[in-house]
Amino acid sequence: MSETLENAKMFTQDTQYTKENIQSFEATFGRGFMSAGGLQTCVEMSTILKPVLEREGGAKMLDIGCGIGGAGFYFAETFGAHVHGVDINAIGIEMANEVAKDGVKKGSVKFETMDATQSEFEEGSLDIIYSRDAVLHLPNDVKLDLFKKCLKWLTPGGMILIADYSIGPKSAETLSPDFEAYLKKRGYHLFTPEGFKKCFVEAGFDQELVGAEDKALWYCRTCQREIDNVVLPGPGRDNFLASFSQQQLDDLQKTYDNKIKLTLRGDRSYVMAHATKG
């Protein structure tokens, strides 16, 4: 097992991302998705990636930390992209491949258990590399090494896009003891939005071709809408409780209430950071 896999083992199929937990996330965030934002995050990402997504013949894409494949299916069926999804969680990959057996209307998808930080792809072979809610598990020096490899793998004009938690404005000044303890417990390694841009430049991307948009309020609204859908009386709640317990619902609500609280008070935020290969 690589060091990266060892560092991330608290988030594998044996811990947080058991099949049952994944299914409860999917019941909350939508088919194929394991984290807040679900399909809507893909739509937000597609506005940034649009120039490359529209390449003739379909963009060749690498999804790092693909989970159960929701983003891959979206980009394939909406834009005709050819998506290779990789993740260290074998159960998530198994679930994605089960859905992939039915095929996609456009483009193509394939999913593989793999540690992207320890892998190699052909130079200049990928139009888009994206990752969602995954690189926070990587130490910052590992992120830098990965971004260097991504630059090599991208075609000219290709893009990398990272959607992930980030350090909020309050924490950018000084980390509170509570938030510092939270990061340590979760094993998170976060950048500020500017930190992402700096890391891209250090990896070799042109400073004029990097960007990072803070999505804090969008993230909070999205979380609240999705949690309300399963917590408040209605079909969403009924569907959730048909498969999962009230305790699981209460735990999920508590987790996401805390995420919203951390974000609104400025400890943590959400960012979409991107860079284009010149």
Side-chain angles (χ1 to χ4, degrees), residues 19-167:
K19 187 170 185 177
E20 184 180 31
N21 282 350
I22 290 172
Q23 290 170 333
S24 72
F25 297 146
E26 193 176 24
T28 307
F29 305 120
R31 187 170 185 263
F33 297 99
M34 295 168 55
S35 59
L39 179 62
Q40 188 57 43
T41 301
C42 292
V43 174
E44 289 285 321
M45 293 167 73
S46 69
T47 63
I48 298 171
L49 296 170
K50 186 176 180 180
V52 190
L53 279 169
E54 294 179 342
R55 286 185 172 180
E56 187 175 352
K60 294 179 178 63
M61 307 179 68
L62 175 67
D63 180 355
I64 297 174
C66 65
I68 52 176
F73 290 113
Y74 168 78
F75 286 119
E77 296 192 333
T78 306
F79 298 96
H82 305 283
V83 185
H84 183 183
V86 301
D87 202 296
I88 64 172
N89 188 330
I91 286 181
I93 294 296
E94 180 182 329
M95 294 171 70
N97 278 323
E98 187 63 32
V99 177
K101 287 179 181 178
D102 296 331
V104 288
K105 298 174 183 177
K106 293 195 299 182
S108 62
V109 294
K110 69 174 181 177
F111 302 101
E112 188 175 3
T113 305
M114 180 187 295
D115 177 3
T117 69
Q118 301 295 312
S119 303
E120 286 294 341
F121 295 88
E122 184 180 348
E123 186 171 346
S125 64
L126 298 166
D127 299 305
I128 294 171
I129 299 169
Y130 66 98
S131 183
R132 171 177 170 180
D133 302 336
V135 303
L136 79 168
H137 300 304
L138 304 180
N140 292 344
D141 60 329
V142 178
K143 288 188 188 65
L144 175 60
D145 289 342
L146 177 61
F147 294 164
K148 288 177 179 178
K149 296 205 304 187
C150 289
L151 177 61
K152 182 177 67 173
W153 299 336
L154 285 169
T155 59
M159 293 184 69
I160 180 173
L161 172 58
I162 307 294
D164 217 329
Y165 296 151
S166 61
I167 292 290

Side-chain angles (χ1 to χ4, degrees), residues 210-260:
V210 303
E213 285 78 54
D214 187 287
K215 296 283 188 177
L217 292 180
W218 171 86
Y219 176 81
C220 290
R221 293 190 193 105
T222 301
C223 281
Q224 193 63 63
R225 182 176 63 249
E226 290 171 334
I227 292 300
D228 284 349
N229 182 58
V230 294
V231 169
L232 299 180
R237 177 185 174 88
D238 294 342
N239 290 338
F240 188 97
L241 290 176
S243 300
F244 307 99
S245 69
Q246 181 64 52
Q247 185 60 55
Q248 286 172 298
L249 181 57
D250 291 344
D251 290 345
L252 188 67
Q253 180 179 14
K254 182 179 179 180
T255 295
Y256 277 85
D257 283 349
N258 187 52
K259 289 177 186 288
I260 293 170

Side-chain angles (χ1 to χ4, degrees), residues 191-210:
F191 281 139
T192 62
E194 285 299 315
F196 268 108
K197 291 166 64 175
K198 182 179 178 181
C199 192
F200 283 144
V201 172
E202 192 173 347
F205 288 92
D206 189 323
Q207 189 167 0
E208 299 302 314
L209 299 176
V210 303

